[in-house]
Amino acid sequence: MSEAVIQAPDWLMPVLALIGVTLTAGGGVVGALIAAKVQGRATDAAKAQAEKSNEQQMIDQLQEELAGYRGRADDRMTAQDVRMTALEADNKELRAQRDTYRDYAHVLRSHIYDQLPPPPPPWPDGAPR
């Protein structure tokens, strides 16, 4: 048996070398594109995280301001409740005095209407003069 040796044409070796270089360069370009895309996604994720962080900081700040407003509103309401209680007590006292004066005025009018002589009826107890 004889062995046949196949000879490659002369152009085949440069073409294979060119294909190798082209594949290597193409792989590098594809790798660079993939790396750029991954980096872009990482940048987008970092940007989204930073925006969320900024949003969260703003929410926290607004919640602190709202808590301050609520605290001041509670203080005002407490002060108004104290004031209203004092006013109601004063009003109750003034109404009692008014009713006492009114009753005494009716007693005096009755005294005059009945044509009774002086002195007038005694001043009511507890009524300021």
Side-chain angles (χ1 to χ4, degrees):
M1 297 206 151
S2 71
E3 288 189 28
V5 176
I6 300 177
Q7 269 218 291
D10 292 337
W11 55 269
L12 186 60
M13 288 311 265
V15 169
L16 288 176
L18 183 62
I19 290 173
V21 169
T22 304
L23 288 176
T24 302
V29 169
V30 169
L33 291 174
I34 290 173
K37 188 165 187 143
V38 168
Q39 181 63 33
R41 286 185 181 170
T43 302
D44 291 343
K47 184 178 176 182
Q49 184 65 31
E51 286 175 359
K52 281 187 177 180
S53 177
N54 289 340
E55 290 170 358
Q56 190 60 44
Q57 287 175 350
M58 185 175 284
I59 289 170
D60 291 343
Q61 180 182 1
L62 291 173
Q63 286 176 341
E64 288 175 12
E65 287 180 23
L66 182 59
Y69 292 141
R70 285 182 178 159
R72 287 190 295 275
D74 288 345
D75 293 343
R76 279 194 310 271
M77 287 300 288
T78 301
Q80 287 178 354
D81 287 344
V82 168
R83 183 173 177 253
M84 184 58 78
T85 302
L87 287 173
E88 287 173 350
D90 289 346
N91 191 31
K92 186 176 181 180
E93 183 180 329
L94 289 173
R95 272 195 274 173
Q97 285 180 1
R98 180 201 63 198
D99 291 344
T100 302
Y101 290 137
R102 182 179 291 150
D103 291 343
Y104 186 63
H106 287 297
V107 168
L108 287 176
R109 289 184 66 168
S110 294
H111 186 81
I112 294 168
Y113 182 75
D114 292 340
Q115 296 179 356
L116 297 174
W123 188 259
D125 293 334
R129 290 188 173 223

